[in-house]
Amino acid sequence: MSEVAAAPIGYLDLLARGRLPADLRIAYGADPLQFGELWLPQGGGPHPVVVLIHGGCWRADLPGLELMDYAAADLRAAGKAVWNIEYRRIGHAGGGYPGTFLDVADGVDHLRALAGPHHLDLDRVVVSGHSAGGHLAIWALGRPRLARTSPLHGAKPLKLRGAVALAGIIDLEAYHADGPDACGGPGTIDALVDAPGRLGDVYADTSPPRLLPLGAHQVIVSGDLDPIVPSRFGQAYGAAATKAGDPATVIDLPASGHFELIDPTAAAWTRIRAELDALLD
């Protein structure tokens, strides 16, 4: 009799497990949600850094940065510093456009203030995000491509070596048109990118395909059993990035759902950590 494949886990399965604590919680802005948690490995450094950005459909009613604690603990044990950032989301005061994007930008750039006291190597920084956070990770990589007229433009974004999107909802326009309703359907995308009085193309400074080429390596990881962000979205974005001239690696992991990609006990994680290692080497 053949074995029955295990069903993909959900976020409640993940959060039911015990979690190790971060080393420090540090504010990067004045709002209570503008903070990150710093995970520091043993040794004197300078430490390579992985910035983690959690998912949850960009929505305030779903879990936050605690979703990434398991990955953060594993990366810390493997000798990486981890900066796991929280940000204002849809339903929070100031969330959506432009606040969600500005929070991610400020959170990433705050590594400059943390580098000296915590022995971080700013020449070896990569960003990785899951689901909605995968979109924000690729967007953060593309910040130097933002038009100066955009409210999201920053003068000197921190240089990143690359990004690893884990089940990322990278192409907002495509997901709005043809994505599953798991995140709340097109209305969630509208709430993220639109704002009162906003005119013009709402995807021009929010959706990474509009910013291509980003000029850095992107790793696009999907699970073949993912019902929330089916792998066709990652494949399509990876093809667009490659066509634009970016180095892009597209990975479709077998027997993996949505949350296996942030579960260090899952088989998928071995490949994901190897990709992060390669970007940091």
Side-chain angles (χ1 to χ4, degrees):
M1 187 175 180
S2 62
E3 290 187 16
V4 177
I9 64 169
Y11 71 83
L12 292 177
D13 299 306
L14 193 66
L15 293 177
R17 304 174 193 171
R19 299 194 299 276
L20 294 173
D23 294 279
L24 296 165
R25 177 172 285 199
I26 300 169
Y28 63 80
D31 190 275
L33 288 165
Q34 293 171 331
F35 70 89
E37 292 187 340
L38 189 62
W39 303 65
L40 293 169
Q42 294 183 349
H47 307 297
V49 183
V50 179
V51 180
L52 291 181
I53 306 176
H54 71 82
C57 300
W58 309 275
R59 284 167 34 188
D61 61 324
L62 291 170
L65 86 171
E66 64 270 22
L67 285 166
M68 306 303 280
D69 283 352
Y70 308 92
D74 183 86
L75 291 168
R76 176 176 64 182
K80 280 77 174 174
V82 176
W83 177 230
N84 185 20
I85 60 173
E86 189 53 275
Y87 52 93
R88 291 172 294 173
R89 292 167 265 154
I90 301 164
H92 291 136
Y97 188 93
T100 293
F101 296 89
L102 293 176
D103 284 1
V104 169
D106 290 346
V108 172
D109 288 348
H110 196 68
L111 281 171
R112 290 191 177 105
L114 302 180
H118 303 292
H119 312 292
L120 307 180
D121 185 353
L122 293 187
D123 290 326
R124 291 193 294 162
V125 181
V126 300
V127 60
S128 182
H130 176 247
S131 194
H135 155 255
L136 293 168
I138 301 294
W139 177 84
L141 186 68
R143 286 174 58 211
R145 299 278 294 164
L146 290 169
R148 291 181 178 274
T149 54
S150 168
L152 308 183
H153 178 265
K156 293 183 178 180
L158 182 72
K159 185 173 178 59
L160 303 169
R161 282 200 174 190
V164 179
L166 307 173
I169 308 174
I170 304 171
D171 188 332
L172 298 181
E173 189 173 13
Y175 201 79
H176 185 284
D178 193 32
D181 287 336
C183 276
T188 297
I189 304 295
D190 292 337
L192 176 69
V193 301
D194 212 348
R198 190 172 186 210
L199 302 174
D201 182 356
V202 296
Y203 298 114
D205 58 355
T206 59
S207 191
R210 299 297 185 88
L211 303 176
L212 290 170
L214 307 189
H217 199 137
Q218 298 151 71
V219 181
I220 312 302
V221 185
S222 303
D224 67 342
L225 302 179
D226 189 342
I228 299 173
V229 190
S231 57
R232 59 189 168 87
F233 288 100
Q235 292 163 0
Y237 175 77
T242 300
K243 184 177 180 180
D246 279 342
T249 302
V250 178
I251 301 168
D252 195 13
L253 292 171
S256 299
H258 194 66
F259 293 96
E260 279 78 5
L261 303 192
I262 54 171
D263 176 6
T265 70
W269 184 250
T270 299
R271 178 68 187 275
I272 291 165
R273 198 169 79 179
E275 295 294 336
L276 289 166
D277 288 344
L279 287 177
L280 288 168
D281 283 345

